[in-house]
Amino acid sequence: MRLAVGCDHAGFPLKAGALRLLTSVGHSVEDLGTDSTEPVDYPDFARRVAEAVVSGSCERGVVICGSGVGASVAASKVPGVRAALCHDVFSARQGVEDDDMNVICLGARVIGPALAAEVLRAFVGAQFSGAERHVRRLRKIIAIEEDARRGVFDKPK
């Protein structure tokens, strides 16, 4: 699988281990930065990863920031991205199997390298189930996204 990986300065220390793990288990990884602990803004890197996923150049994405919260909020703004913050193996696996999550977000200040490795293994090892109830729910999520594109949620001026 081809994966896009990006982080902000807080996520940078965890990113190196994530890259090593993902390549060691046979995945191709596109490192979208950042490349140091010099302060940067997480939305820039969440967007890069999200765009790589929706463009099809990568099948899934990983974004790492301090808490993982900001990254998940930012990545989810890109239509077609289903990003979630996961700090446990169950959520990482279930998020893909039931919800077709395509971007996982991690908080480098929340989990350590060993747990992050387990969570990432669960994420990349999972496949969307295709079960009727999950497909039905995914269609509803996509419908919300389409409504947003049409301006359904825009406030009248």
Side-chain angles (χ1 to χ4, degrees):
M1 176 182 325
R2 183 150 176 81
L3 299 159
V5 179
C7 67
D8 69 357
H9 57 284
F12 177 71
L14 192 61
K15 183 181 77 164
L19 294 172
R20 277 192 307 274
L21 168 77
L22 294 169
T23 57
S24 75
V25 295
H27 298 287
S28 172
V29 178
E30 185 173 342
D31 183 352
L32 299 177
T34 193
D35 299 318
S36 76
T37 56
E38 183 70 27
V40 293
D41 297 328
Y42 64 82
D44 300 331
F45 298 93
R47 182 178 185 153
R48 287 181 191 174
V49 169
E51 288 177 342
V53 171
V54 297
S55 75
S57 69
C58 292
E59 294 168 70
R60 293 189 197 161
V62 177
V63 187
I64 309 167
C65 70
S67 69
V69 174
S72 65
V73 170
S76 291
K77 296 297 181 183
V78 176
V81 168
R82 291 172 299 282
L85 170 62
C86 296
H87 288 148
D88 64 90
V89 172
F90 175 79
S91 297
R93 179 184 49 75
Q94 181 271 337
V96 175
E97 291 175 349
D98 293 2
D99 305 311
D100 202 21
M101 174 178 63
N102 53 13
V103 174
I104 191 167
C105 303
L106 304 174
R109 294 176 178 155
V110 178
I111 63 173
L115 180 54
E118 289 181 43
V119 169
L120 287 171
R121 278 190 178 100
F123 173 65
V124 297
Q127 294 297 317
F128 181 56
S129 71
E132 186 279 327
R133 70 184 184 280
H134 300 307
V135 171
R136 181 181 68 245
R137 293 167 185 159
L138 182 57
R139 281 192 205 116
K140 290 181 178 187
I141 291 167
I142 292 167
I144 293 168
E145 207 169 66
E146 289 169 357
D147 283 348
R149 285 186 183 127
R150 288 194 313 273
V152 168
F153 305 112
D154 294 347
K155 293 182 180 183
K157 300 200 186 231

